[in-house]
Amino acid sequence: LDFAQFCESKTTSPRQSSIPPYNEEEGLESAKLGRSRAVLTGRPAAISLRAIPLSSKIHSALKQGKLASDDADDDLLTLGKALGSASSTPKGIFEQILERVLSIDENGNAMIAPPSLSSGATAIGRLASKDEGVPIMTKAKNGSGTTENDDNGNSDTNHGKMNGDPLEHNSTHNSATEAVGVMEEIRGMIRDRRFDAAADDDLSEEDAAALEIWNNTMKGSVAAGFKLAMSAGPICEEPVRSVLIVLEAVEVALEKGQDGKYQCSKPLSGGMMLSALKSAIRCALLTRPARLVESHLKLTLHSSMAGLGPLYNVLSKRRGKVLDDSMVDGTDLILLTATLPHAEAFGLAPELFQKSSGEVTAPELIFSHWARFDEDPFWIPTSLEEREDFGEILNNGDLSTGMDNTALNYIRGVRQRKGLLVDSSRTVVAAEKQRTLKR
């Protein structure tokens, strides 16, 4: 997806970015379709990044530092197209990515700084006094934009502190409008300059100073912020898997020092960068479709012919997949091997004994692999056929998805066990009628 199409896209963000408790993530108003912009505390700088899927084959090759086979060629061509790389060969794309890797973990995630940032093509220096900084986006009181208008079309004005910012502003509308203009400027810059673009020969003094601050002060903290964000995702605070973070642009508020050289107009530390990067990554992930990754167990047991029917019924209900069933030589028993999601394995043995009347042996379970659970946890019925099959949202009493969504039930269970905010178990549909619907 090239950036011009991204900016002109009318596609709405995924539902998790608009429903509680996920839409309460700080900085979510500056994120869209996997891209986000985070401003550091005190507004000394801002960073723009992008989150895209990363194939496990590409991740393994990056860990090894070489492209051992051509298994990942198709994935590399797709990734190169998404990044806007000028290279048309899988090897060329892989070498570009490998050279720019800043951090890589064991869960299939990686972070890169493209040549467009490393060369200064997307490093922006903004002149500002000590009382100013990089522009920020402000969240409207109605939660739907950057300002709130009254019935006469007048914008709401705030003369005090805004979003925790210690600076006083005369108008929320002016500050928000400026921030929107800055974001559009950055998007246009990234649109015009490719992933592997080099900086112009006539790089301005401000941009050169911003690039130097990025290399000397900010770049060293991005690896820690990346690992912190990947260790706990925004959906249920579990480790994130198979994501590539692309640092696209950096902005720095500058002022002239006593020696006439440009320097950061406000204090800038690694902790500020760590916190901002974590927030930006979480917001970018919330604006992309989400899927759960679940562990699977390998199940081995023996069964008689009479116990096969109940055994298959139990496994089917628990989303099990039979890999092999064969007769044991010299007996009338069948050796069955299957895989089963770890979350569905609780209480398996008692149910098998009860359903089969003791015709199966106790199952042996060992860890097998990780696999993506390809069910959208935030899906809702929209078409007429889907509403006929699954019912209206209002009628089934669920504000987020259908009642039988297994992925959402997993998320709610994990969040509840961890003490995180979970949507209420009962929903008030019509308060004046004093009626509630059970989920």
Side-chain angles (χ1 to χ4, degrees):
L1 178 67
D2 84 88
F3 202 80
Q5 181 181 355
F6 165 79
C7 287
E8 297 167 0
S9 174
K10 303 300 182 183
T11 305
T12 57
S13 297
R15 294 193 68 254
Q16 61 264 29
S17 62
S18 60
I19 60 176
Y22 317 103
N23 63 345
E24 298 172 1
E25 189 74 30
E26 183 180 359
L28 191 58
E29 64 273 7
S30 299
K32 176 186 177 184
L33 300 181
R35 278 184 164 97
S36 66
R37 174 180 179 266
V39 179
L40 278 66
T41 305
R43 299 168 57 192
I47 186 167
S48 300
L49 57 81
R50 180 185 183 190
I52 56 179
L54 180 63
S55 167
S56 59
K57 298 177 182 178
I58 300 178
H59 178 266
S60 299
L62 291 175
K63 289 283 290 184
Q64 298 174 3
K66 60 180 180 179
L67 196 59
S69 63
D70 57 356
D71 294 342
D73 285 358
D74 293 339
D75 295 333
L76 281 170
L77 291 174
T78 303
L79 181 59
K81 184 178 179 181
L83 293 174
S85 173
S87 178
S88 58
T89 62
K91 184 177 180 180
I93 296 171
F94 177 77
E95 290 177 351
Q96 281 185 343
I97 297 174
L98 180 62
E99 184 181 358
R100 302 298 175 179
V101 169
L102 295 178
S103 181
I104 188 168
D105 64 12
E106 300 294 335
N107 291 332
N109 308 304
M111 179 176 60
I112 62 174
S116 57
L117 176 59
S118 302
S119 63
T122 54
I124 308 168
R126 301 189 180 280
L127 294 179
S129 65
K130 288 187 178 293
D131 294 334
E132 297 177 354
V134 294
I136 60 174
M137 292 288 291
T138 57
K139 198 170 185 179
K141 294 180 180 179
N142 56 12
S144 60
T146 56
T147 58
E148 182 180 23
N149 295 340
D150 57 22
D151 295 336
N152 298 325
N154 300 319
S155 60
D156 183 79
T157 302
N158 182 6
H159 295 279
K161 294 183 180 181
M162 181 174 55
N163 286 352
D165 184 12
L167 308 180
E168 292 189 359
H169 296 262
N170 292 328
S171 174
T172 302
H173 175 75
N174 292 338
S175 177
T177 303
E178 181 184 5
V180 172
V182 169
M183 292 188 68
E184 293 300 328
E185 177 186 348
I186 296 173
R187 289 174 178 174
M189 179 182 299
I190 300 173
R191 181 197 303 123
D192 296 335
R193 302 184 181 184
R194 303 179 63 88
F195 170 81
D196 46 8
D200 300 331
D201 296 334
D202 56 345
L203 191 66
S204 66
E205 294 183 13
E206 294 89 342
D207 293 348
L211 179 61
E212 182 179 359
I213 293 174
W214 158 253
N215 289 326
N216 297 337
T217 307
M218 303 173 65
K219 189 175 180 180
S221 302
V222 296
F226 166 76
K227 293 179 180 179
L228 188 62
M230 293 294 104
S231 64
I235 301 298
C236 49
E237 302 298 331
E238 288 290 322
V240 181
R241 292 180 177 270
S242 303
V243 172
L244 177 64
I245 301 298
V246 184
L247 304 180
E248 294 187 318
V250 62
E251 308 162 62
V252 181
L254 302 173
E255 66 175 0
K256 276 196 174 182
Q258 295 180 355
D259 55 357
K261 296 182 179 180
Y262 287 107
Q263 61 184 17
C264 190
S265 63
K266 292 189 173 187
L268 181 60
S269 67
M272 295 179 183
M273 186 65 193
L274 186 149
S275 177
L277 187 65
K278 175 187 175 183
S279 176
I281 292 176
R282 290 172 64 92
C283 292
L285 293 176
L286 279 174
T287 56
R288 290 194 65 92
R291 295 293 185 275
L292 296 182
V293 178
E294 57 182 355
S295 62
H296 284 247
L297 302 177
K298 184 178 180 181
L299 177 148
T300 305
L301 53 76
H302 292 84
S303 172
S304 64
M305 294 295 295
L308 278 183
L311 173 60
Y312 273 87
N313 290 337
V314 172
L315 292 180
S316 176
K317 184 181 70 173
R318 292 173 176 260
R319 297 191 293 115
K321 181 180 179 182
V322 177
L323 302 179
D324 181 55
D325 53 351
S326 57
M327 293 292 298
V328 180
D329 295 340
T331 67
D332 60 348
L333 297 178
I334 296 176
L335 175 62
L336 185 138
T337 305
T339 59
L340 188 73
H342 199 159
E344 301 289 346
F346 297 100
L348 175 63
E351 184 177 6
L352 284 176
F353 295 151
Q354 180 181 5
K355 298 291 185 182
S356 64
S357 300
E359 294 291 337
V360 300
T361 62
E364 298 179 3
L365 298 171
I366 60 173
F367 176 79
S368 175
H369 63 282
W370 291 90
R372 185 179 70 177
F373 184 21
D374 202 8
E375 181 180 19
D376 186 359
F378 303 101
W379 176 86
I380 58 171
T382 54
S383 65
L384 181 60
E385 292 78 8
E386 290 174 346
R387 292 177 179 177
E388 290 177 351
D389 293 339
F390 300 99
E392 295 285 346
I393 303 294
L394 188 63
N395 291 340
N396 64 31
D398 200 322
L399 293 178
S400 52
T401 60
M403 296 179 65
D404 298 327
N405 192 306
T406 305
L408 180 65
N409 292 334
Y410 286 166
I411 292 175
R412 286 173 174 165
V414 170
R415 293 184 67 92
Q416 187 173 10
R417 285 193 296 271
K418 291 185 174 184
L420 302 174
L421 184 63
V422 185
D423 41 359
S424 175
S425 60
R426 301 181 72 87
T427 304
V428 177
V429 176
E432 66 276 5
K433 296 182 180 179
Q434 295 296 306
R435 180 170 63 100
T436 59
L437 298 179
K438 188 175 182 180
R439 292 181 190 270

